[in-house]
Amino acid sequence: MSPPTTLLAFDVGARRIGVALGNTLSGSARELGVLDVRESGPDWPRLDQWCKEWRPDALVVGDPATLDGGDQPARQRARGFARELGKRYGLPVHPVDERSSSKEASRRFAAGRAAGTRKRHQAENIDALAAVIILERWLADPDSHLPPMPDAPT
């Protein structure tokens, strides 16, 4: 059996990147937070801090293909971010099909509000919740893992 692996997962958006933390030992994921994206790029210092604190073994990035599997600007943005992650941290970067993850995050958030476990002001963390869903998909189905992104260490 391989040792437990700590993972950070990302839901890449134009203005924010949701970040989740998980591991293969528990098979679970939780929200870590949101990185703001500015004209100069993501909030790398904050991500550097999280990487230093959590010391991930690998990174998982949502791949926002269209419903028919095609390309779109969001997909190019996510792939560019994934390549930069691999170069910056020297870790394997695994893409995961993220189709419908944002809708699922919205449903989970609404259910949390209805149950009283979420507050309206926490809506900014919905991107982190989408990253949780992306990481849960990766953890739940190891046989479906796509190969690490090109230009990233394996």
Side-chain angles (χ1 to χ4, degrees):
M1 183 170 173
S2 61
T5 301
T6 301
L7 303 150
L8 288 181
F10 303 90
D11 176 53
V12 180
R15 295 182 315 218
R16 288 181 301 277
I17 298 173
V19 184
L21 171 70
N23 70 68
T24 56
L25 181 63
S26 68
S28 64
R30 69 174 181 87
E31 298 166 36
L32 192 56
V34 177
L35 296 173
D36 290 325
V37 177
R38 300 177 186 90
E39 284 185 36
S40 60
D43 185 353
W44 291 115
R46 187 167 188 198
L47 185 53
D48 291 344
Q49 179 183 353
W50 282 338
C51 284
K52 184 177 178 182
E53 180 178 355
W54 295 105
R55 301 173 62 188
D57 301 299
L59 307 167
V60 176
V61 176
D63 182 14
T66 61
L67 290 177
D68 64 359
D71 237 354
Q72 62 177 328
R75 191 175 201 192
Q76 294 306 316
R77 186 172 36 255
R79 287 181 170 181
F81 177 73
R83 281 190 298 275
E84 189 64 30
L85 280 175
K87 290 176 189 173
R88 187 175 186 97
Y89 299 109
L91 296 170
V93 180
H94 301 275
V96 171
D97 184 347
E98 75 159 49
R99 286 178 276 191
S100 304
S101 63
S102 293
K103 289 180 183 178
E104 174 65 20
S106 294
R107 282 193 292 272
R108 287 189 191 185
F109 185 80
R113 291 220 38 227
T117 60
R118 298 254 184 198
K119 305 290 183 208
R120 180 178 296 195
H121 71 275
Q122 295 172 319
E124 66 183 29
N125 287 337
I126 204 158
D127 297 304
L129 187 53
V132 166
I133 293 163
I134 290 165
L135 187 48
E136 287 174 347
R137 288 178 183 174
W138 191 89
L139 290 165
D141 194 2
D143 294 332
S144 71
H145 293 175
L146 300 171
M149 298 287 296
D151 301 330
T154 55

